[in-house]
């Protein structure tokens, strides 16, 4: 099956695109569109995380669970929203921790594209969702696909940092070889849990300290304000 995705990822994931679960997933999405169901993000942004961060450029992974399901929010990058969209509360808390950890000002936009372009793979476990129905596509096969993405990164690269925030993300730890990569875990930045271990985790500085020790350039976490 021909999937429009960045070439370095296409080479590594081409076998997944031919598997029955993935073909069924695509047919399900087509069927929903035929019924005029609104699906987020737009088709051109479903693989935005991969298109924005080629395989060889990945240095750090931030794993989300589900795309935003509100109008105009999701654009294929975990936790990120498009310019001009109100910053969700979980992302507000990420920015608060970023400021507390390394002193950066709170951004006025929630668009994290520049992080993706600097080597941060902003990966959601599910890559699509129906409008106003959270987790509505979680059982379609996306989890199988993104689990394979994590396995591939773990196997083929070394010295990556994985930020696993919340129980769902932390369950993916079994897919990662922690003898080759750094896994940092904390509570989810959601307003329901941020006070229970996300605030004060210092993941941004810890990630950069590790990358520098491994001989890589640190992530420039600054966003235009």
């Amino acid at each position: 099956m021909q999937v429009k995705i960045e070439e370095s990822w296409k080479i590594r994931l081409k076998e997944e695109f031919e598997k029955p679960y993935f073909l069924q997933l695509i047919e399900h999405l087509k069927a929903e569109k035929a019924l005029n169901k609104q699906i987020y993000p737009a088709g051109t942004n479903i693989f935005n995380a991969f298109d924005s961060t080629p395989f060889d450029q990945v240095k750090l992974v931030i794993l989300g669970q589900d795309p935003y399901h509100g109008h105009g929010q999701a654009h294929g990058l975990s936790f990120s929203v498009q310019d001009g969209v109100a910053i969700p509360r979980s992302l507000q808390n990420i920015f608060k921790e970023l400021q507390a950890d390394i002193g950066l000002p709170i951004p006025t936009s929630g668009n994290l594209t520049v992080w993706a372009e600097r080597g941060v793979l902003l990966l959601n476990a599910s890559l699509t969702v129906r409008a106003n129905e959270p987790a509505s596509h979680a059982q379609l096969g996306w989890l199988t696909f993104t689990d394979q993405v994590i396995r591939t990164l773990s196997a083929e690269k070394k010295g990556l940092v994985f930020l696993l925030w919340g129980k769902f993300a932390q369950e993916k730890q079994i897919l990662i070889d922690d003898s080759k990569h750094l896994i940092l875990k904390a509570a989810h930045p959601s307003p329901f849990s941020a006070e229970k271990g996300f605030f004060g985790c210092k993941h941004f500085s810890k990630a950069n300290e590790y990358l520098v020790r491994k001989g890589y350039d640190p992530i420039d976490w600054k966003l235009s304000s």
Side-chain angles (χ1 to χ4, degrees), residues 56-89:
D56 292 340
Q57 296 179 22
V58 177
K59 296 194 286 188
L60 182 145
V61 180
I62 298 179
L63 184 65
Q65 185 167 354
D66 208 36
Y68 295 120
H69 54 84
H71 176 71
Q73 292 180 303
H75 64 132
L77 304 178
S78 62
F79 293 101
S80 180
V81 291
Q82 301 184 76
D83 289 321
V85 175
I87 300 175
R89 293 183 67 185

Side-chain angles (χ1 to χ4, degrees), residues 42-63:
T44 54
N45 280 331
I46 290 175
F47 295 105
N48 191 20
F50 305 91
D51 296 336
S52 299
T53 316
F55 185 86
D56 292 340
Q57 296 179 22
V58 177
K59 296 194 286 188
L60 182 145
V61 180
I62 298 179
L63 184 65

Side-chain angles (χ1 to χ4, degrees), residues 159-176:
L160 296 181
V161 181
F162 291 84
L163 303 188
L164 305 183
W165 297 335
K167 182 176 182 293
F168 176 86
Q170 289 165 19
E171 289 174 349
K172 304 297 183 180
Q173 181 174 353
I174 61 172
L175 307 173
I176 304 164

Side-chain angles (χ1 to χ4, degrees), residues 59 158-160 207-218:
K59 296 194 286 188
K158 60 181 179 180
L160 296 181
N208 275 348
E209 290 166 4
Y210 175 82
L211 290 171
V212 170
R213 286 201 306 272
K214 292 296 181 179
Y216 303 123
D217 290 333

Side-chain angles (χ1 to χ4, degrees), residues 4-212:
K4 291 183 179 180
I5 189 173
E6 193 274 333
E7 188 63 26
S8 66
W9 285 105
K10 179 181 286 188
I11 291 169
R12 289 169 174 85
L13 298 172
K14 59 184 179 182
E15 291 185 5
E16 294 302 302
F17 299 142
E18 301 301 330
K19 290 182 178 178
Y21 84 86
F22 194 88
L23 299 175
Q24 291 169 9
L25 165 60
I26 297 303
E27 288 305 311
H28 189 103
L29 294 177
K30 288 179 179 178
E32 288 200 9
K33 286 192 173 184
L35 294 172
N36 294 317
K37 299 285 188 180
Q38 181 67 57
I39 296 172
Y40 298 132
T44 54
N45 280 331
I46 290 175
F47 295 105
N48 191 20
F50 305 91
D51 296 336
S52 299
T53 316
F55 185 86
D56 292 340
Q57 296 179 22
V58 177
K59 296 194 286 188
L60 182 145
V61 180
I62 298 179
L63 184 65
Q65 185 167 354
D66 208 36
Y68 295 120
H69 54 84
H71 176 71
Q73 292 180 303
H75 64 132
L77 304 178
S78 62
F79 293 101
S80 180
V81 291
Q82 301 184 76
D83 289 321
V85 175
I87 300 175
R89 293 183 67 185
S90 290
L91 185 53
Q92 290 179 27
N93 288 337
I94 290 171
F95 289 161
K96 288 178 183 177
E97 176 59 24
L98 187 66
Q99 182 182 54
D101 185 7
I102 58 178
L104 291 182
I106 301 291
T108 56
S109 171
N111 191 330
L112 306 181
T113 297
V114 293
W115 286 2
E117 293 171 345
R118 296 169 187 162
V120 179
L121 182 66
L122 296 165
L123 180 67
N124 277 318
S126 293
L127 300 189
T128 61
V129 67
R130 280 195 301 274
N132 305 314
E133 296 183 47
S136 49
H137 286 175
Q139 303 303 317
L140 298 188
W142 282 128
L143 302 189
T144 301
F145 176 74
T146 53
D147 280 359
Q148 184 58 32
V149 169
I150 296 169
R151 287 191 195 95
T152 301
L153 285 165
S154 178
E156 295 193 26
K157 295 181 74 76
K158 60 181 179 180
L160 296 181
V161 181
F162 291 84
L163 303 188
L164 305 183
W165 297 335
K167 182 176 182 293
F168 176 86
Q170 289 165 19
E171 289 174 349
K172 304 297 183 180
Q173 181 174 353
I174 61 172
L175 307 173
I176 304 164
D177 183 347
D178 62 4
S179 71
K180 296 170 56 182
H181 308 288
L182 176 64
I183 300 172
L184 295 175
K185 298 184 289 184
H188 195 277
S190 158
F192 302 107
S193 56
E195 297 282 359
K196 300 175 183 177
F198 179 76
F199 290 140
C201 69
K202 298 186 181 297
H203 279 185
F204 303 100
S205 59
K206 289 177 180 178
N208 275 348
E209 290 166 4
Y210 175 82
L211 290 171
V212 170

